[in-house]
Amino acid sequence: MSKVICIIDDDPIYQFLINKIIDNSKGNHEVMFFKNGKEALDYFTLDIAKNLPDIILLDLEMPVMDGWDFLKEIDKLHIDDTAIYIVSSSISDEDKRRAKKFPKIKGHFSKPINSNKIQEITKKIE
């Protein structure tokens, strides 16, 4: 059964690249994309039982609803089956400290993420 990976990032070039990396990684993965946290949250809450992905790769800096606001809102949904990873161009020490407030965050990666990291992440949910 395929695992669903959700990319929440406003950069279309990054979305294209990460999709290629996921396609080339070993595994059977379905990929969904959202350009900000609000789009993703709206989709997930349409049918929380069916629409939640297995993995979220979350950028922090986005328009409309950034990664931090998304994390605050998704925390209210009390979901446990979705692993969230921050993938950002810059993970500052302050961001790492702030991320510790969100137990759903399973890790931090700097862009660009590579196929080895994708395999590492997906093996954790198999």
Side-chain angles (χ1 to χ4, degrees):
M1 181 173 200
S2 70
K3 298 295 181 183
V4 179
I5 301 173
C6 173
I7 312 301
I8 306 175
D9 195 301
D10 63 319
D11 182 349
I13 295 169
Y14 174 73
Q15 287 184 355
F16 175 80
L17 290 174
I18 193 66
N19 192 43
K20 288 292 182 194
I21 290 167
I22 292 169
D23 281 349
N24 291 331
S25 69
K26 295 174 183 161
N28 182 20
H29 310 295
E30 179 184 331
V31 183
M32 61 173 61
F33 297 95
F34 299 97
K35 61 185 173 197
N36 63 62
K38 183 173 179 355
E39 276 188 4
L41 200 61
D42 288 348
Y43 175 77
F44 297 156
T45 55
L46 283 175
D47 188 343
I48 202 87
K50 290 184 358 186
N51 292 351
L52 283 176
D54 298 294
I55 298 168
I56 295 174
L57 301 180
L58 178 66
D59 188 22
L60 295 176
E61 300 297 323
M62 296 174 286
V64 184
M65 179 184 279
D66 68 15
W68 297 118
D69 289 337
F70 172 81
L71 287 165
K72 289 176 198 168
E73 293 302 314
I74 199 101
D75 211 32
K76 295 175 186 176
L77 298 178
H78 305 289
I79 59 165
D80 294 322
D81 296 338
T82 299
I84 301 174
Y85 293 86
I86 293 175
V87 181
S88 182
S89 334
S90 168
I91 298 288
S92 69
D93 288 339
E94 175 58 31
D95 286 344
K96 289 179 183 178
R97 283 191 291 278
R98 193 172 176 189
K100 288 181 181 179
K101 297 177 185 175
F102 299 96
K104 287 180 180 54
I105 296 174
K106 304 299 182 197
H108 310 88
F109 299 102
S110 293
K111 288 181 182 176
I113 193 168
N114 61 35
S115 60
N116 290 338
K117 291 293 181 191
I118 293 294
Q119 290 175 21
E120 178 184 321
I121 291 168
T122 56
K123 281 183 183 178
K124 291 179 181 179
I125 62 163
E126 290 177 351

